[in-house]
Amino acid sequence: MHSAPSPLPERISLSGEGLVLRDWAEDDLAAMPGLFDHPDIAYWTPIVSPFDENAARARLDRARQLRKDGTTILLAITADGSASPLGEVMLRRAPEGTELGYAVGPAHRGRGLAARAVRVMAAYAFGQLGEERVVLELEAENAASVAVATKAGFGLLDVPLIEGEEKGRPYALQTWGLNRP
């Protein structure tokens, strides 16, 4: 981890693995509830639930602020950069390391989008931000996310579980890591 992380760019578009990861736009607000207002997303992620138009506006505003703060990048997962978003991929820089995260809309699952988006974002973290390792923090019971971690080339790290409570439910997160190639 760098002692003084480089600022994050104001705009980002990443291409690879048949995807374009791009900044969220005002035009995406109407599509966001269809992606994020789902029981799986509510259960496994910290994304607010129910996720409606107001939540979409708050998420877009928060994404822009976190980018300005230099801590987090939230990008829409798309097939070509102009089409409707299929999900989201996140990169969060923190003192303990660089974490990636993702959520794919229920209508778009089963196509390998999350694993591909995570690999593209990891390549960005290694190549542009100079990171040595990126991590995913997952609940062992979340079989779909464990499958994404495995498909994206991550390995389970021998570190203590991250325990806490979110939305009134306790969780224990495993840490999966991918080192710079």
Side-chain angles (χ1 to χ4, degrees):
M1 192 70 204
H2 306 298
S3 58
S6 59
L8 297 173
E10 189 175 317
R11 308 230 1 108
I12 300 176
S13 180
L14 306 174
S15 298
E17 304 224 13
L19 301 175
V20 176
L21 310 179
R22 62 159 172 82
D23 291 313
W24 286 102
E26 296 291 325
D27 290 347
D28 296 325
L29 289 171
M32 290 172 83
L35 298 174
F36 300 133
D37 191 36
H38 189 270
D40 287 347
I41 304 257
Y43 188 82
W44 296 114
T45 77
I47 294 175
V48 299
S49 179
F51 195 96
D52 58 14
E53 295 81 16
N54 291 332
R57 166 51 61 197
R59 187 158 184 84
L60 180 61
D61 293 346
R62 180 87 172 126
R64 290 174 174 165
Q65 185 58 53
L66 291 169
R67 174 89 59 89
K68 284 181 189 171
D69 294 345
T71 61
T72 306
I73 300 169
L74 295 171
L75 299 177
I77 301 170
T78 71
D80 66 4
S82 63
S84 292
L86 310 170
E88 175 178 85
V89 65
M90 175 216 54
L91 179 146
R92 182 179 67 86
R93 298 194 293 192
E96 62 274 10
T98 298
E99 176 191 2
L100 304 183
Y102 48 85
V104 172
H108 310 293
R109 294 181 185 159
R111 298 167 36 192
L113 295 171
R116 291 187 284 152
V118 164
R119 285 192 297 263
V120 171
M121 189 65 100
Y124 173 79
F126 297 139
Q128 299 300 310
L129 301 179
E131 299 298 337
E132 294 299 320
R133 173 185 278 170
V134 293
V135 299
L136 299 171
E137 296 173 348
L138 313 171
E139 291 185 64
E141 298 80 16
N142 187 343
S145 279
V146 169
V148 167
T150 302
K151 287 178 191 171
F154 285 68
L156 185 59
L157 301 179
D158 186 18
V159 298
L161 292 174
I162 300 165
E163 297 181 301
E165 186 174 311
E166 182 83 34
K167 299 179 189 173
R169 136 182 131 71
Y171 63 80
L173 302 175
Q174 297 177 324
T175 303
W176 293 70
L178 179 67
N179 294 329
R180 175 193 290 272

